[in-house]
Amino acid sequence: MSFVLYNAPQSTCSQRVRFVLNAKKLPFEEVKLDLLAGDQLKPDYLALNPNGVVPTLVHDGAVVIDSSVIIEYLDEVFAQEVNFTPKAPAERAAMRALMRFIDEMPAAAVRVPTFNLAFLPRFAAMSEEEFVAFAESKPLRKEFMLKMGRAGFPEKDMNEALDRLARTLERMEASILSSGGPWLQGARPTLADVAVMPAIVRMADLGLGKMWNEKPLIARWYDSIRAHPAFKPTYYFGSLLSERFPHLKKLG
Ligand SMILES: N[C@@H](CCC(=O)N[C@@H](CS)C(=O)NCC(=O)O)C(=O)O
């Protein structure tokens, strides 16, 4: 049995997959792509993942793409003692509904402050032609990049993204409260917790942890995920933006 994970240390989507592989103690070969250099847009990689994004998992020759799909795949194929999918169909449905919400809301919203605060200097250093060519070569993120431009997203977009992150925290609180916590769906972590983890860790890394100062349920959730045995091997050095980009501005 072999796993090859094409990913990037600081990529939030990749962190979900590393967490599940580590939690299940499945050894994997890690291929690290430099996303700012455009490794994800090279023909060999596009043949594996036509979206031109990480992560991609190759399991015994089978190519699986999209982080939410990959973590469901791993939990289905390796349904051993460490499992993140509830047994009851209604609970599974609730987990998948949370995962869709997470992909649409925080996973997308957190890219706006991430790009503005950490990645912009790299793009600002390119000529306009270079930047447009780079943006246009992206199968999935072309419009996102062109909208951002070399000057970054305007304040209105930043505020909208922060509002979507605030509403995510409210949804998490409601879920923890109704399930009894400490996880989103009760006493055990599910794939919904894994799916939202990187957005919350990224918020803390960007100086947004103050958004849950008055939210003890979120603070306890954050402590619980950091105490999980799979957390440390997932967030090896270089996985946080603040470790990779010393210039990182924070929203303090
Ligand atoms: N829905 C996809 C999204 C993947 C995605 O956006 N990956 C980002 C890193 S977290 C990426 O590869 N970005 C490269 C780019 O924008 O060119 C998933 O969850 O796998």
Side-chain angles (χ1 to χ4, degrees):
M1 185 173 72
S2 79
F3 291 104
V4 182
L5 177 66
Y6 295 82
N7 84 149
Q10 78 288 353
S11 139
T12 51
C13 319
S14 304
Q15 289 157 359
R16 294 171 169 178
V17 179
R18 296 207 299 267
F19 188 91
V20 172
L21 287 166
N22 286 322
K24 290 179 180 290
K25 298 196 166 47
L26 297 168
F28 58 101
E29 181 195 332
E30 195 182 346
V31 179
K32 293 181 183 171
L33 277 69
D34 184 340
L35 302 181
L36 291 176
D39 289 350
Q40 73 280 23
L41 305 167
K42 293 188 175 147
D44 284 358
Y45 185 72
L46 288 173
L48 288 175
N49 188 330
N51 291 334
V53 290
V54 291
T56 296
L57 182 72
V58 182
H59 172 214
D60 289 342
V63 180
V64 191
I65 64 168
D66 196 286
S67 61
S68 289
V69 175
I70 299 171
I71 61 179
E72 282 211 52
Y73 172 85
L74 287 170
D75 222 32
E76 222 169 85
V77 179
F78 302 96
Q80 342 108 318
E81 67 276 20
V82 179
N83 197 271
F84 295 98
T85 308
K87 289 216 164 34
E91 285 287 300
R92 285 178 187 240
M95 178 189 85
R96 293 193 177 111
L98 278 168
M99 291 171 77
R100 299 292 179 278
F101 172 85
I102 291 160
D103 276 344
E104 187 161 339
M105 288 279 282
V110 84
R111 286 189 196 114
V112 174
T114 295
F115 274 69
N116 261 18
L117 300 172
F119 298 161
L120 212 54
R122 175 72 79 99
F123 300 130
M126 292 178 171
S127 72
E128 185 62 18
E129 293 72 39
E130 271 173 333
F131 177 79
V132 170
F134 188 57
E136 288 194 335
S137 68
K138 293 188 177 227
L140 213 61
R141 295 285 146 68
K142 174 179 157 179
E143 290 77 10
F144 174 87
M145 290 288 287
L146 291 174
K147 194 164 174 235
M148 176 184 73
R150 286 188 309 145
F153 289 103
E155 200 180 333
K156 179 175 170 288
D157 291 5
M158 277 288 268
N159 289 340
E160 279 174 10
L162 295 178
D163 194 55
R164 285 158 77 78
L165 294 172
R167 272 143 57 207
T168 298
L169 296 180
E170 283 166 19
R171 177 66 68 88
M172 287 177 71
E173 263 185 319
S175 196
I176 296 168
L177 202 61
S178 71
S179 70
W183 302 99
L184 294 178
Q185 293 187 266
R188 287 160 46 96
T190 72
L191 292 178
D193 295 283
V194 179
V196 81
M197 167 192 75
I200 302 298
V201 173
R202 171 64 50 84
M203 286 172 74
D205 198 22
L206 294 175
L208 294 171
K210 61 184 186 308
M211 284 172 73
W212 56 85
N213 273 355
E214 311 292 318
K215 295 188 180 304
L217 294 178
I218 304 287
R220 186 172 61 147
W221 180 93
Y222 185 49
D223 288 344
S224 304
I225 199 94
R226 282 187 302 165
H228 192 288
F231 190 89
K232 267 209 179 118
T234 296
Y235 285 89
Y236 52 74
F237 186 82
S239 301
L240 296 180
L241 290 180
S242 53
E243 293 165 345
R244 181 159 175 214
F245 299 100
H247 70 265
L248 180 75
K249 288 191 210 130
K250 295 204 181 198
L251 286 166

